[in-house]
């Protein structure tokens, strides 16, 4: 959290609307994903292709999906599994 402490935008997106949440889910960073969600990252946010954090995690590894579904799932409000 040092970047968050200095006001980093958790919803900021780079190329193709990939947010920090999507990138952390893709790489299996469970702790980072949780911190982003706790600080307002949108669990249902999707990239230009409509892929959400859970989809990114699913594409990268089934082990990551198991970990992240427990982290991301509670933050979803019906819009995380497009």
């Amino acid at each position: 959290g040092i970047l968050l402490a200095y006001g980093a935008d958790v919803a900021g997106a780079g190329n193709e609307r990939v947010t920090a949440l999507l990138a952390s889910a893709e790489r299996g960073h469970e702790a980072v994903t949780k911190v982003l969600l706790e600080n307002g990252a949108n669990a249902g946010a999707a990239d230009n292709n409509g892929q959400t954090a859970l989809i990114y995690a699913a594409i990268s590894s089934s082990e990551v999906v198991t970990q992240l579904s427990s982290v991301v799932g509670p933050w979803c409000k019906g819009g995380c599994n497009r």
Side-chain angles (χ1 to χ4, degrees):
I2 193 160
L3 293 175
L4 294 174
Y6 283 94
D9 181 8
V10 296
N15 294 337
E16 300 186 25
R17 289 183 21 201
V18 175
T19 64
L21 179 63
L22 297 177
S24 68
E26 179 180 38
R27 290 166 180 81
H29 297 303
E30 184 178 354
V32 173
T33 300
K34 187 172 182 177
V35 167
L36 289 168
L37 290 166
E38 289 172 346
N39 284 277
N42 180 357
D47 66 10
N48 284 346
N49 298 313
Q51 296 180 333
T52 63
L54 285 176
I55 294 170
Y56 267 70
I59 291 170
S60 68
S61 162
S62 60
E63 180 178 319
V64 172
V65 173
T66 302
Q67 294 170 355
L68 289 179
S69 63
S70 65
V71 174
V72 176
W75 294 89
C76 292
K77 294 186 174 52
C80 294
N81 297 313
R82 296 180 187 188

